[in-house]
Amino acid sequence: MTSPALVPSSPTEQTVIPSAVVRFAGDSGDGMQVTGDQFTVAAALAKNDLATFPDFPAEIRAPAGTTYGVSGFQIHFASDNVYTPGDAPDVLVAMNPAALKTNLRDLKRGGLLIVNSGAFNAANLKKAGYETNPLEDGSLENYSLLSIDITKNTQNAVKDTGLSNKEANRCKNFWTLGLMFWIYGRPLEPTLKWIEQKYGKRPELVQANTAALKAGHAYGETAEIFQRKRYEVPPAPVEPGVYRNINGNTATALGLVAASRIANRELVLGAYPITPASDVLHELSKYKHFGITTIQAEDEIAAVCAAIGASYAGNLGVTSTSGPGMALKTEAIGLAVAVELPLVVIDIQRGGPSTGLPTKTEQADLLQAVYGRNSEAPVCVVAAATPGDCFYMAIEAVRLAVKYMTPVILLTDGYLANGAEPWKVPNPSDLPKIELRFRTDPNGFHPFLRDETTLARPWAIPGTPGLEHRIGGLEKDYDSGHISYAPENHERMCRVRAAKVAGIARDIPEQTIEVGSERGKLLVLGWGSTYGAIREAVQRCRARGLDVSHAHVRYINPFPRNLGELLRRFDRVLVPELNLGQLVKLIRSEYLVPAESLPKVQGKPFKVEELEDAIRRLLES
Amino acid sequence: MSNLIEPAKLTKKDFETDQDVRWCPGCGDYSILANVQRVMPELGIPRERIVWVSGIGCSSRFPYYMNTYGFHTIHGRAPAFAMGIKVANPELSVWIATGDGDGLSIGGNQLMHCLRRNLDVKILLFNNRIYGLTKGQYSPTSELGKVTKSTPFGSADQPIDPASFALGANATFVARSIDTEAAHLSDVLRRAARHSGAAFTEIYQNCNVFNDGAFDSFRERDVKAERQLRVEHGKPLVFGAQRDKGLRLDPKTLTLEVVRVGEGGVPESEVLVHDETNQTLAYMLARMPYPEYPVALGVLYAVERPTYDGVLRTQKAEALARSGAPDLARLLRGNAAWEI
């Protein structure tokens, strides 16, 4: 990756660079997410490949100027494939001292640092914990500092619009965006159009934000200092097709809508608001005309119970949540195992335990998903690897749930949920098929009569004449479905429930190698949102001649049928995860291979560099 | 829905299952079960369209004995399962069997929200004022100071009155009956079945093993006329074997008072007339201290309000009318796609 600030250029032309990582950071009221979104759209329209990640505080509106109220947005865009939002920004935009304080350590040495000097007053410096003004004390000399009074420039730009000072100040982000557009040679029109749509009802805001955006852009054009700091990131070679930007939560929601259409069955989502899962509820609640019903339940328990009830009645029952909610849903998921009803549970993992780090990412619910129920209660567990993959894994979760009459837990996380990437929009006719079979024949019926291949029981829904029956959490007799406390029968039922879930391995794709050779010295085995970082790190190491490959599991219970054999083809296996080593435990216990753990639990994704270092250390040891 | 109702040719027998009923001999649940099995055929709803949902506890075994669809779920959550069922298929007639522990202790939250949403389900709460299935601990409706296995020195909790809980949750139908009062219970069940919305019926039910005789003081033949007030919409609130007692509102204290009616007492015109649409009156009737006042039985409150499932259904139809047939390709494309 090239650091733009270090690249010399002629004074008049744009410097062509292969990629850039830009981070916007400011107060949570500074509009950094909007700025980031608009900057992203511009990069996408310029046909760059890209990945983004917003980073916002847990507090909705933390006191202005504090370090815990800083909101950030990072984008990595390039003329080549992009797999992560980038380790370290090449450019940091800091709207106030607190944003500088919390983000500076990530900025590359020599990186471009754009600072709103207008916010560096005594009060803000004190709130951020600065004893002296970093803009003046020489502490920023390792960076290419552009100190601009964005506050004042914005006020000047919008002074004719009649906005109050407070409202005028809120246009700072568009002034900044205008400047960034100038630096990267982006057209203003798409954002101008967006402003028009967004603030159409308040013409003075349209006028002010338009003025601010244009003024920021003009500042770049006229200010002497910028003559040497314009860059061009050429388009990336991407497959032809229709693309959109998508984050994991939207992709998950759309995957569920698609599954409902493919299966030709209405879907009921039971959910209770929880960060970072609420957007799945918000998104799905818009699609009533697609036959989607969303229930904002009174609690996490009611949410999953309503989903199970909907499944019992023949709809696709889904519940979405995060770790603490998973804990509450545990008993009901156990019931769905016992009564063998389809259920999709989406756990958008966040930092824990307990409330933990609600807005930060983690992968530490894996063992909870696989094992976290009383008694022998096997469920199918799958995990999405990228924001766009959430779409396909949501469809897959529904497919497996209805085919095997089982709960399926889909694991994503905060990083996937809020991170975005360009996504090739699929043609609905190319999507996997989901066939539903409802029992209607009363002849020989009992509710736990199993399909010989899948071992699934029949889905016999209320309203079907002649199939009236009772199911419940009490153990059932294998041959009649009636309540049974017989010892041998209980073991037989436990075994058949386990065999049913294990048998899903025959119905899922074999594990493939993502990057690298089929055998060798080291396999890096990942799951979930670490996909991009691992892939990038393994590619870089291979470019340096290291014998390393990358495989990424999307099916965790059961594992793909060839996984054990694949693992044994490598001398060593390294398992990086955003937890203290959970997949590695499953791998070791399942396959008795000496897989090694690379854990990280900081509420943050892996940096490519961290993984590269680990791979190098391991291969050199 | 009415066009789908078949002629009611079913009998009580059609609603019995082949399963042995496993309640203790003498349990009040038997008479409730028999009563429900008698009333169900009268409703004219085909068996396959009826779903019984329950949680955990003695009362929650109920679905196993009803030859309809049945779902014995987890403790306290029957209303949440019922919500999913009813929303998924509004054509179903959904019934919940619960108890004082299942519905008011562990499942208090689910019950409250089911009632305030006015989900179109019928809820029967068997109140025996004790935990039966766990062998005799006090319940949230047990009287203060109740001595049980878990409270050898007497319970320290104030009991909750199920009917006033339901009224507090803004239920649209609140009724009360007794396991042994077959005719009265049947009448109440018919009313509940006809109600559109969450119909809450509390049934005093004797647990002859762990809390025998809990309701004898107003249930027994020789005392019931004096101790029970059978409320009926539009009828004066009088009771007593001689119909010589009634309820009057004391306008100074805004409380009910028991008065002698007729000779030597007040004229019947001063006695309150039951108005089942009056929530304040229903609340006062539900909460009358016993034994200073009689126990109010019957439909205490009944009003019509849009149902949760009905509103969702309407929203769906409106969304479809507004947006036209769903177009998945367009949805996936979104508003800001670009082509390469």
Side-chain angles (χ1 to χ4, degrees), chain A residues 44-45 47 238-245 254 257-258 261 266 268 287-299 301-302 305-310 312-313 315 331-332 335 339 341 391 422-423 425-426 428 431 460-474 482-483 485, chain B residues 17-19 22 46-53 56 61 63-75 77 79-89 92 106 109-111 113-114 116-117 308 312 315-316 319-320 323-329 331-340:
Chain A
L45 291 175
K47 297 178 182 173
V238 274
E239 242 182 282
V242 175
Y243 286 80
R244 64 174 286 177
N245 210 34
L254 293 183
V257 177
R261 296 302 295 168
E266 297 203 335
V268 173
Y287 305 127
K288 287 193 187 303
H289 57 298
F290 277 86
I292 308 286
T293 302
T294 52
I295 295 172
Q296 183 179 314
E298 58 270 30
D299 55 37
I301 297 170
C305 294
I308 297 170
Y312 172 72
N315 278 14
E331 186 193 10
L335 175 73
V339 295
L341 278 171
F391 175 82
W423 180 62
V425 179
L431 296 175
I461 61 174
T464 316
L467 298 190
E468 296 83 4
H469 66 277
R470 277 62 56 191
I471 57 171
L474 290 169
H482 290 317
I483 298 172
Y485 302 136
Chain B
T17 65
D18 57 354
Q19 297 297 292
R22 300 192 194 190
R47 281 187 309 143
E48 70 269 15
R49 287 231 321 266
I50 299 170
V51 184
W52 277 89
V53 188
I56 296 295
R61 296 295 179 94
Y64 287 114
Y65 311 132
M66 290 296 300
N67 194 3
T68 62
Y69 281 89
F71 196 176
H72 178 215
T73 70
I74 53 176
H75 208 6
R77 317 303 173 201
F81 288 94
M83 173 162 63
I85 294 168
K86 186 68 185 177
V87 162
N89 185 356
L92 299 173
I106 193 167
N109 201 35
Q110 271 62 55
L111 182 57
H113 290 280
C114 179
R116 69 149 176 105
R117 282 190 187 103
Y308 179 72
L312 290 186
Q315 285 183 350
K316 216 184 251 182
L320 200 58
S323 311
D327 181 345
L328 183 60
L331 175 72
L332 298 183
R333 206 186 145 98
N335 299 322
W338 65 92
E339 197 160 351
I340 291 172

Side-chain angles (χ1 to χ4, degrees), chain A residues 39 71 117 150 171 187 196 198 208 225 283 363 402 415 430 480 493 547 596:
Chain A
F39 195 76
S71 169
S117 61
I150 296 174
C171 301
E196 184 87 41
K198 173 86 180 172
I225 45 169
E283 186 72 19
Q363 295 182 301
V402 297
Y415 180 68
D430 298 337
S480 69
M493 289 296 279
D547 180 7
E596 294 158 70

Side-chain angles (χ1 to χ4, degrees), chain A residues 11 27 41 55 181 247-248 255 285 327 347 350 360 362 415 428 438 478 492 505 512 612:
Chain A
D27 232 22
V41 170
D55 184 21
F181 279 172
N247 68 39
S285 64
D347 177 6
R350 66 188 215 187
K360 309 294 177 197
E362 203 163 275
Y415 180 68
F438 294 104
Y478 188 95
R492 190 178 183 196
T512 54
E612 267 185 282

